[in-house]
Amino acid sequence: MENPSLIIVDDEPDLRELIASYLARHGFAVRTAASGRELDACLAQHAADLLILDVNMPGEDGFSIARRIRATSTLPILILTAATDVASRVAALELGVDDYVTKPFDLRELWARVRAILRRAPGPAASAMRPAPGRHHVQFGPVVLDTESHRLFRQDGTELPLTAMEFDMLQVFADNPNRVLSRDRLLDLAHRRNCDPFDRSIDIRVTRLRRKVEADPSKPAVIRTVRGTGYMFVPLKSLYQHP
């Protein structure tokens, strides 16, 4: 089995090489890029399993690159940022990145975050799989979550893009149907205790998920808000019948 392939994008050569050297020693196949253009060249040559992306870079910044990547791909993205304010964290989550680490950081923490993202991400063979009825499928209104391949499908079989972080949240709801979950409990179950449950991280992720699982996101019926408490997944009978 090939080592997981990472691309580190940072315009600071010393930091870029420090991260690359550390992760390579821990079994990853690492490539580096100093800009969005160099990243595009790397991806054109060979796909990657995860992207580590700095935010503050001249030219195209990390948020712009992440937005561009996320528009066409569910490639896992870990953001590196020197900003610790809530607005920056909100911006990262709204882009659909899988995790973020604030500078300065411990390389051991970065390594642990990378491993956690890769554990959640589907394997390379998942892209060749088709959905089939079975115990690994959970109905979320008009869509179906395959908990084995970490994929989300419409009733016609069309796949919807799903990041590792979004899958984690859907898995938590699937495991706790008709149960009210506080924001703090959702963070516990999704293994994201480094986040502040009173920032907007959970609300942002729920908003993103509603765009995918609700027939009308402005009137959520599948992932409902329980005022003053949190959220609840309400399984609904499918409007469609499987052949």
Side-chain angles (χ1 to χ4, degrees), residues 23 38 40 54 82 109 128 136 145 161 167 194 198 202 214 217 229:
L23 293 177
E38 290 188 16
D40 293 341
D54 185 38
E109 179 189 2
H136 298 294
L145 177 69
F167 170 78
N194 57 295
F198 298 102
I202 289 294
E214 299 284 358
T229 305

Side-chain angles (χ1 to χ4, degrees), residues 130-134 139 144 154-157 238-243:
R130 294 292 300 166
Q139 189 82 38
V144 175
R154 295 190 178 96
Q155 292 292 333
D156 63 3
S238 175
L239 300 178
Y240 306 87
Q241 296 296 323
H242 290 287

Side-chain angles (χ1 to χ4, degrees), residues 9-40:
V9 187
D10 197 307
D11 64 311
E12 298 181 37
D14 290 344
L15 180 59
R16 188 172 66 236
E17 295 307 319
L18 177 65
I19 297 172
S21 176
Y22 182 85
L23 293 177
R25 292 199 306 271
H26 284 78
F28 297 102
V30 183
R31 290 175 288 165
T32 63
S35 66
R37 182 175 298 180
E38 290 188 16
L39 168 64
D40 293 341

Side-chain angles (χ1 to χ4, degrees), residues 140-142 206-207 209-225 227 231-232 234 236 239:
F140 278 84
V206 168
T207 297
L209 286 176
R210 281 172 170 167
R211 294 173 190 153
K212 300 179 180 183
V213 307
E214 299 284 358
D216 181 356
S218 67
K219 299 177 181 178
V222 179
I223 301 177
R224 300 185 182 180
T225 300
R227 289 192 181 280
Y231 296 99
M232 179 171 64
V234 180
L236 300 177
L239 300 178

